[in-house]
């Protein structure tokens, strides 16, 4: 699963078993608290990109039961808080000079979302920013820039989250995709249209409980539900001829999609280096989904590229991907084990992302945590 990806430190991240010294390249941090996962990435600038120093990810299911209650549950908040405390300690230990910590759909829609954000600050020193869907879409595209096939005319970047799905239609012949890291600005990417729907793997799975076994009718119902929201969106219609003529490709970024890719490759264990960036055909994506449909919930949990934490969500992710492919067909699909965090890091390391006075927050232990300008 992508949650396990990138956990090894990059070359040069450690010296004689010690953390980086103050004289080494500065570390930047990106933390993404989503509806399903809490993910942290710490990296240093390296040429036009960056080198990962440390990665951490935990499935916390912050949005569990949210669609029914409208509130974050105590159990979900406790799981998220435990992961956030680990993240805060890693940020301090790595002496991160600038951090951007974001929260997405679960905190956007929960009645007690801001209350939880305030509690996180008091207990960890992390100041989470609840970002708007548009910024979330931009950062997802930014994180996948290296996977865009510039020989195509357009790409549709699909970021399937736990509580929402962001879609961005990108003009691959437009300006803003190249250049140096120091001049990168996510808001200037040639995104011609974008859409955020309040449906992700957690919300869809809760809306359509699996029952005793996964059936084609149940899966089809999920696909059709997602298509309702997608079909109502017309702002991307000017780009439809490009897709109809097969001059576009799709990029899918989510744990569910990387799990599908792992199933397709029949990996004995998840291997990010083999999954991130691979091309799959539309038929191969549907074939992987059909393979999953033939398994019981326990058999899915036993799959090394899925596991028990994602076994009840992976088919919801496959349904979202299939809904997109039916309405915006692409022969080629590129799988991305990257996304929001990488986009945040690029923005932080650029001159545009680094402007403004850096705010410093103090955690409950009195140690300051760096903060990106809001």
């Amino acid at each position: 699963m992508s949650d396990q990806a990138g956990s090894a430190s990059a070359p040069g991240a450690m010296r004689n078993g010690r953390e980086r010294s103050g004289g080494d390249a500065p570390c930047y941090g990106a933390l993404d608290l989503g509806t399903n996962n809490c993910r942290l990435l710490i990296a240093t600038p390296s040429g036009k990109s960056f080198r990962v120093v440390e990665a951490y990810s935990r499935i916390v299911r912050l949005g569990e039961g949210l669609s029914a209650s409208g509130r974050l549950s105590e159990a979900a908040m406790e799981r998220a808080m435990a992961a956030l405390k680990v993240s805060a300690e890693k940020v301090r230990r790595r002496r991160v000079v600038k951090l951007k910590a974001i929260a997405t759909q679960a905190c956007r829609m929960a009645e007690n979302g801001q209350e939880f954000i305030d509690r996180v600050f008091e207990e960890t020193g992390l100041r989470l920013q609840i970002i708007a869907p548009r910024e979330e879409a931009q950062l997802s595209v930014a994180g996948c820039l290296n996977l865009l096939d510039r020989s195509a005319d357009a790409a549709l970047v699909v970021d399937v989250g736990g509580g929402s799905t962001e879609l961005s239609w990108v003009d691959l012949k437009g300006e803003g995709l190249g250049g140096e890291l120091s001049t990168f600005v996510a808001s200037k990417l040639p995104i011609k249209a974008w859409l955020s729907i309040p449906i992700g793997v957690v919300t869809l799975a809760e809306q359509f409980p699996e029952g005793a076994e996964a059936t084609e009718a149940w899966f089809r119902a999920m696909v059709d539900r997602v298509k309702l929201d997608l079909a109502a969106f017309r702002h991307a219609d000017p780009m439809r001829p490009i897709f109809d003529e097969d001059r576009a490709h799709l990029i899918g970024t989510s744990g569910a999609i990387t799990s599908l890719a792992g199933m397709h490759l029949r990996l004995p264990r998840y291997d990010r280096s083999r999954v991130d960036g691979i091309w799959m055909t539309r038929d191969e994506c549907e074939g992987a989904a059909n393979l999953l449909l033939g398994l019981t919930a326990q058999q899915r949990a036993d799959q090394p590229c899925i596991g028990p934490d994602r076994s009840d969500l992976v088919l919801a992710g496959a349904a979202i991907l299939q809904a997109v492919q039916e309405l915006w067909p692409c022969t080629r699909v590129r799988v991305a084990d990257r996304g929001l965090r990488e986009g945040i890091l690029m923005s932080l390391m650029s001159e545009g992302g680094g402007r403004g006075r850096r705010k410093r927050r103090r955690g409950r232990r009195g140690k300051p945590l760096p903060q990106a300008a809001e």
Side-chain angles (χ1 to χ4, degrees):
M1 288 175 284
S2 61
D3 299 308
Q4 299 167 342
S7 59
S9 296
M14 304 281 284
R15 288 186 177 179
N16 300 322
R18 299 179 182 177
E19 305 297 344
R20 287 182 172 273
S21 68
D24 287 326
C27 287
Y28 295 76
L31 190 149
D32 168 24
L33 178 64
T35 303
N36 197 44
N37 298 275
C38 176
R39 297 184 175 104
L40 171 71
L41 203 62
I42 300 175
T44 60
S46 178
K48 293 184 178 182
S49 186
F50 52 81
R51 177 176 296 171
V52 174
V53 171
E54 186 163 354
Y56 170 76
S57 182
R58 285 293 180 271
I59 292 178
V60 296
R61 299 207 177 200
L62 179 61
E64 186 175 56
L66 174 60
S67 57
S69 68
R71 296 180 59 83
L72 303 175
S73 71
E74 286 299 323
M77 289 190 289
E78 287 300 325
R79 290 193 299 267
M81 189 67 73
L84 289 167
K85 288 177 179 178
V86 172
S87 299
E89 186 56 36
K90 290 179 181 294
V91 168
R92 293 187 181 94
R93 183 163 51 85
R94 290 289 182 182
R95 300 179 183 178
V96 169
V97 299
K98 189 177 293 184
L99 168 74
K100 182 165 185 175
I102 66 168
T104 55
Q105 183 66 12
C107 290
R108 279 196 293 259
M109 68 180 291
E111 294 175 6
N112 57 340
Q114 186 58 53
E115 178 184 331
F116 176 64
I117 294 293
D118 294 340
R119 178 184 163 193
V120 169
F121 175 53
E122 291 299 320
E123 295 191 21
T124 71
L126 292 168
R127 176 65 75 187
L128 290 168
Q129 302 174 31
I130 302 177
I131 64 170
R134 179 167 188 160
E135 183 179 0
E136 187 174 354
Q138 290 171 341
L139 291 172
S140 294
V141 173
C144 296
L145 282 183
N146 291 341
L147 299 183
L148 294 171
D149 179 1
R150 303 294 294 278
S151 68
D153 290 341
L156 173 52
V157 179
V158 183
D159 181 5
V160 183
S164 66
T165 296
E166 279 65 47
L167 300 94
S168 302
W169 286 260
V170 184
D171 177 7
L172 296 182
K173 303 305 180 185
E175 298 180 356
L177 294 176
E180 298 293 327
L181 178 61
S182 61
T183 59
F184 172 79
V185 180
S187 61
K188 293 185 177 180
L189 290 167
I191 299 174
K192 296 304 181 183
W194 70 275
L195 169 67
S196 178
I197 61 174
I199 300 174
V201 294
V202 174
T203 50
L204 190 61
E206 289 182 348
Q207 187 174 350
F208 292 87
E210 183 173 337
E213 61 180 22
T215 65
E216 291 186 10
W218 164 75
F219 183 77
R220 185 70 240 173
M222 289 195 293
V223 173
D224 290 341
R225 172 62 188 89
V226 177
K227 287 177 70 175
L228 286 176
D229 281 23
L230 297 183
F233 181 73
R234 307 308 300 269
H235 293 293
D237 282 359
M239 299 189 76
R240 191 167 290 282
I242 299 175
F243 286 78
D244 291 341
E245 296 166 11
D246 203 22
R247 293 185 285 121
H249 74 86
L250 189 148
I251 289 183
T253 168
S254 82
I257 295 175
T258 55
S259 293
L260 279 178
M263 289 289 293
H264 165 69
L265 294 172
R266 300 185 183 275
L267 297 178
R269 63 180 180 83
Y270 187 84
D271 184 347
R272 182 185 188 275
S273 66
R274 294 191 61 186
V275 170
D276 183 50
I278 71 160
W279 289 97
M280 294 177 65
T281 66
R282 178 181 173 182
D283 288 343
E284 287 170 340
C285 292
E286 292 183 4
N290 288 333
L291 182 63
L292 287 172
L293 271 173
L295 302 178
T296 65
Q298 185 57 54
Q299 287 172 331
R300 290 198 303 274
D302 292 339
Q303 293 295 315
C305 292
I306 299 176
D309 289 332
R310 202 184 296 281
S311 61
D312 60 335
L313 303 177
V314 65
L315 278 167
I320 293 171
L321 178 61
Q322 183 160 322
V324 173
Q325 289 175 314
E326 289 183 7
L327 290 176
W328 290 89
C330 292
T331 302
R332 299 184 305 149
V333 179
R334 197 161 202 189
V335 179
D337 190 342
R338 60 180 74 192
L340 273 175
R341 293 176 303 167
E342 288 81 0
I344 292 171
L345 286 173
M346 290 181 64
S347 296
L348 287 181
M349 294 177 187
S350 70
E351 290 181 358
R355 292 194 184 101
R357 179 174 61 86
R358 186 170 74 240
K359 301 176 183 179
R360 298 185 71 84
R361 313 288 190 181
R362 290 189 175 272
R364 60 189 177 88
R365 297 183 181 180
K367 298 179 181 179
L369 285 174
Q371 194 75 15
E374 298 179 14

